[in-house]
Amino acid sequence: MKILVAIKRVLDYSVKVRVKTDHSDVDLANAKMSMNPFCEIAVEEAVRLKEAGVASEIIVVSIGSKAVQETIRSAMAMGADRGIWIDSGEAALSPLTIAQLLAKVVQAEQPSVVLLGKQAIDSDDNQTGQMLAALCDYPQATFASKVTIADSKATVVREVDGGLQTLQLALPLVVTTDLRLNEPRYVKLPDIMKAKKKPLDTQTPESLGVSLNNSVKMIKVEPPSERKAGIMVPDVDALINSLKNQAKVL
Amino acid sequence: MTVLVIAEHDNQNLKPATLNALSAAQQLGGAIEVLVIGSNCQAVAQQAAAIAGVSKVKVSDNAVYAQQLAENTSQLIAKLAPAYSHVLAPATTTFKDVLPRTAALLAVNMVSDVMAVVSADTFKRPIYAGNAIATVQSSDAIKVLSVRTTAFDPVSTSGGSAAIEAISDLFEAKQTQFMGAEIAKSDRPELTSAKLIVSGGRGVGSKENFAIIYALADKMGAAVGASRAAVDAGYVPNDLQVGQTGKVVAPELYMAVGISGAIQHLAGMKDSKVIVAINKDPEAPIFQVADYGLVGDLFTIVPELTAKL
Ligand SMILES: Cc1cc2nc3c(=O)[nH]c(=O)nc-3n(C[C@H](O)[C@H](O)[C@H](O)COP(=O)(O)OP(=O)(O)OC[C@H]3O[C@@H](n4cnc5c(N)ncnc54)[C@H](O)[C@@H]3O)c2cc1C
Ligand SMILES: Cc1cc2nc3c(=O)[nH]c(=O)nc-3n(C[C@H](O)[C@H](O)[C@H](O)COP(=O)(O)OP(=O)(O)OC[C@H]3O[C@@H](n4cnc5c(N)ncnc54)[C@H](O)[C@@H]3O)c2cc1C
């Protein structure tokens, strides 16, 4: 059984983003970039399914400029077997276009399970997996916190607003990961070395027959409104007094 | 121009998040219709019909829609969507699941988490955990939008008398079977619509210790929230997580207890009207967004606060 994992390279979660002064964009110059944390969880889940003997091959795919090759190598160091880089240059792609590109890869590879992060922590769209499932006409299990695969079926526990929901879905399917699905492993140096030798195929939107038209244009990017500085109170009585008489929220 | 708002509900009651989505819909201009998809959900349709400004309620009431699974509800919405200029729903987990699938079926993009309507085709939305606000313009014929509920005041639940129309299109979700749900039952106010919230973090230390957070919340009539660290450690269930990847809240008062104030947590609460931080570390970043900060041990402060309120 093959597993396909879509991974995105994003600004590292620990870095606070800055907006450019001309409001055209955020400033990513020289910023630390990493694999989207939810994608790391997706790769980890695939590797665990392989270690458990459920999956036989893990393919990772990433779309973007040359730099995403590094992200693909990180996934290989975690245990993915081979990679596909879709070279889209510096273009700003919408989730629909990304899903269309991924659908072509799904068509070619015919994986039983497609794993994605539930959300990329830069654009925060939370769309791509669901769109891919629609384009492939696959069932979807989003926000997964537990995945069990047996007898050509997946049983997935999902994190929903009210608590947890369990679905059983036929394969092939799309799963998007939530935070508590697993804790990704730390990669070891020998695995990083081994990853360098794993096969990495290059595709382009043209080779896949997908045009990059984007119907949603980013017009400007602004910093959020700042909260004005507050005060420190010395004790509980002062706090209660402030909340009752100044803020009037109690 | 007619806008379709999809109702968030549990087959019995319309959820307040729908009222925030309706408020965003009003800012777009044009007539507003509401779509209720569910099973034995006529009561919800009636509640929607009573809302001022709703011109029609469409209701698709069938057992196949009991769980509002993405696979079939997205097909139903996509079938109806071409009659509308905009399809909106609150950014709850139901519609985070359903709407992108709907948009892909319609071959359009989607705008997630709309926090301001600039015009009928231009919207503001948070990116990078709310550390940047993007203004985006959509040229799609049908605009599919999810609405950040905290950014729009709810509309009133009364004053209207819309006609209710039954929709008979049936789509089944053959590949997906609902097995069960563990829905947290609580007498406390619901987190996303609560006026007062007390949230606990890793500093609370254990599931047992969380009792002091619940006690304070109950004294105040507040909802309880938590940081990711507290959920990951098993102190509280996942539905209490506030943040970039949990729930977004904006109550009148948010009390952060033993929470450091990581950007991912701030993303979910920094639009609260008043923020109180209780933390033993005076350098904790939470104090930078707090209106009132109190440095000290939460295990003495919280019980004292509960006793004195
Ligand atoms: C400064 C800036 C400018 C932008 N300009 C525009 C613009 O003009 N128009 C516009 O529509 N968008 C624009 N974007 C959005 C950007 O292109 C998004 O990355 C894209 O829309 C995908 O959204 P997402 O990553 O939030 O998707 P999500 O749906 O949140 O991602 C979920 C999952 O999908 C998978 N995935 C997502 N992207 C990839 C990828 N590249 N390769 C492999 N897997 C992937 C991953 O598994 C990920 O975890 C801009 C973003 C920024 C930060
Ligand atoms: C992809 C991703 C998504 C994330 N999404 C979210 C999210 O949605 N929501 C979220 O909350 N986090 C999220 N996080 C995690 C976030 O980065 C932080 O790790 C988390 O918020 C920390 O929780 P905390 O403040 O409770 O714990 P800590 O950072 O450990 O802080 C505990 C605080 O308690 C204080 N304390 C300890 N003991 C006491 C005492 N006795 N009295 C008073 N104070 C005390 C300490 O001084 C400290 O400030 C995400 C992270 C990633 C990578």
Side-chain angles (χ1 to χ4, degrees):
Chain A
M1 190 183 95
K2 267 196 223 178
I3 300 185
L4 179 71
V5 189
I7 57 174
K8 185 178 186 187
R9 177 183 156 90
V10 298
L11 182 69
D12 188 86
Y13 80 93
S14 62
V15 178
K16 191 169 177 202
V17 71
R18 264 173 240 294
V19 172
K20 286 186 183 168
T21 46
D22 67 358
H23 292 177
S24 62
D25 209 338
V26 296
D27 192 356
L28 298 180
N30 305 319
K32 182 181 176 202
M33 305 292 282
S34 302
M35 193 189 307
N36 178 36
F38 289 97
C39 299
E40 243 181 316
I41 294 171
V43 174
E44 176 66 31
E45 194 64 16
V47 174
R48 290 187 189 186
L49 286 167
K50 190 175 170 194
E51 286 168 349
V54 177
S56 53
E57 189 186 24
I58 302 165
I59 307 150
V60 291
V61 52
S62 191
I63 303 161
S65 65
K66 196 168 187 327
V68 306
Q69 289 188 34
E70 194 191 325
T71 315
I72 294 176
R73 293 290 174 201
S74 318
M76 289 171 167
M78 288 176 72
D81 298 298
R82 62 185 168 93
I84 301 170
W85 165 39
I86 303 179
D87 180 1
S88 58
E90 303 296 329
L93 306 180
S94 70
L96 182 63
T97 308
I98 297 200
Q100 286 165 340
L101 291 164
L102 295 175
K104 294 289 182 183
V105 177
V106 169
Q107 223 172 46
E109 298 285 350
Q110 298 285 318
S112 301
V113 179
V114 187
L115 279 163
L116 297 92
K118 82 161 176 183
Q119 154 180 2
I121 60 162
D122 50 1
S123 308
D124 282 333
D125 280 313
N126 196 333
Q127 299 178 6
T128 309
Q130 297 88 314
M131 289 186 159
L132 176 62
L135 299 179
C136 300
D137 197 18
Y138 285 2
Q140 72 187 45
T142 51
F143 329 143
S145 69
K146 187 166 194 276
V147 176
T148 317
I149 295 178
D151 307 325
S152 313
K153 279 192 169 21
T155 306
V156 180
V157 180
R158 306 178 54 230
E159 293 202 2
V160 295
D161 284 341
L164 298 170
Q165 182 195 58
T166 305
L167 298 178
Q168 194 174 73
L169 310 99
L171 304 187
L173 87 161
V174 169
V175 176
T176 77
T177 61
D178 216 318
L179 291 170
R180 280 164 283 276
L181 180 58
N182 61 49
E183 230 175 279
R185 68 196 59 199
Y186 286 103
V187 296
K188 299 186 208 76
L189 191 61
D191 294 325
I192 296 173
M193 302 312 288
K194 260 192 268 170
K196 291 188 177 150
K197 300 198 188 70
K198 292 185 180 177
L200 203 173
D201 183 25
T202 306
Q203 300 272 0
T204 61
E206 298 75 50
S207 72
L208 294 167
V210 175
S211 64
L212 305 183
N213 44 32
N214 195 337
S215 54
V216 176
K217 292 272 164 287
M218 182 90 94
I219 294 177
K220 66 175 172 194
V221 178
E222 296 161 294
S225 51
E226 293 288 333
R227 290 187 75 92
K228 60 174 175 12
I231 58 165
M232 300 305 276
V233 291
D235 54 30
V236 168
D237 293 322
L239 178 62
I240 293 174
N241 182 46
S242 299
L243 292 177
K244 284 200 167 143
N245 302 317
Q246 197 176 18
K248 297 188 167 45
V249 287
L250 282 184
Chain B
M1 194 175 102
T2 308
V3 178
L4 183 66
V5 175
I6 309 167
E8 171 79 27
H9 65 87
D10 59 5
N11 290 322
Q12 281 140 32
N13 291 302
L14 191 72
K15 289 286 170 77
T18 315
L19 305 174
N20 306 98
L22 280 163
S23 168
Q26 285 182 348
Q27 294 187 18
L28 292 165
I32 298 173
E33 297 185 4
V34 173
L35 173 62
V36 178
I37 307 172
S39 175
N40 289 323
C41 57
Q42 294 299 332
V44 179
Q46 260 145 33
Q47 291 159 36
I51 296 170
V54 173
S55 63
K56 189 191 280 181
V57 175
K58 292 189 171 172
V59 52
S60 188
D61 186 346
N62 191 288
V64 299
Y65 300 124
Q67 301 302 331
Q68 300 173 48
L69 297 172
E71 289 82 351
N72 57 346
T73 45
S74 62
Q75 289 185 68
L76 176 65
I77 301 166
K79 168 107 195 276
L80 301 173
Y84 300 92
S85 57
H86 299 75
V87 174
L88 270 74
T92 54
T93 49
T94 311
F95 294 110
K96 286 178 181 170
D97 190 40
V98 169
L99 274 193
R101 190 166 179 125
T102 309
L105 293 175
L106 294 166
V108 299
N109 271 298
M110 170 183 165
V111 181
S112 294
D113 263 322
V114 169
M115 55 181 281
V117 173
V118 179
S119 71
D121 68 359
T122 306
F123 315 99
K124 290 191 188 217
R125 61 176 302 266
I127 56 175
Y128 291 94
N131 287 302
I133 308 299
T135 303
V136 298
Q137 184 174 35
S138 163
S139 58
D140 284 315
I142 305 168
K143 292 169 185 61
V144 178
L145 316 173
S146 70
V147 175
R148 175 162 283 213
T149 53
T150 53
F152 297 91
D153 290 332
V155 298
S156 149
T157 53
S158 60
S161 57
I164 298 178
E165 179 186 314
I167 299 287
S168 57
D169 301 274
L170 273 194
F171 295 95
E172 281 180 71
K174 292 210 182 69
Q175 313 287 350
T176 306
Q177 207 184 334
F178 172 78
M179 306 297 283
E182 276 173 54
I183 300 302
K185 286 240 171 1
S186 166
D187 297 331
R188 297 188 180 88
E190 202 271 317
L191 193 53
T192 51
S193 52
K195 289 210 160 37
L196 308 171
I197 296 176
V198 181
S199 265
R202 196 190 326 254
V204 179
S206 70
K207 191 172 172 173
E208 293 67 38
N209 290 350
F210 239 82
I212 63 168
I213 302 293
Y214 287 116
L216 175 58
D218 290 346
K219 190 76 178 275
M220 292 167 58
V224 172
S227 70
R228 173 192 174 182
V231 177
D232 283 3
Y235 304 169
V236 291
N238 66 285
D239 52 286
L240 299 193
Q241 182 180 317
V242 170
Q244 178 186 16
T245 58
K247 286 182 177 146
V248 178
V249 299
E252 301 277 305
L253 172 62
Y254 187 92
M255 220 179 257
V257 182
I259 292 178
S260 62
I263 49 176
Q264 293 84 6
H265 188 78
L266 301 185
M269 45 63 80
K270 72 178 158 102
D271 292 328
S272 304
K273 198 162 150 240
V274 174
I275 296 174
V276 170
I278 298 170
N279 199 303
K280 68 175 181 191
D281 172 10
E283 303 299 320
I286 189 75
F287 288 121
Q288 290 164 21
V289 300
D291 299 282
Y292 302 102
L294 180 50
V295 176
D297 184 1
L298 70 90
F299 296 106
T300 49
I301 293 171
V302 173
E304 187 186 340
L305 193 53
T306 310
K308 288 183 171 168
L309 277 174

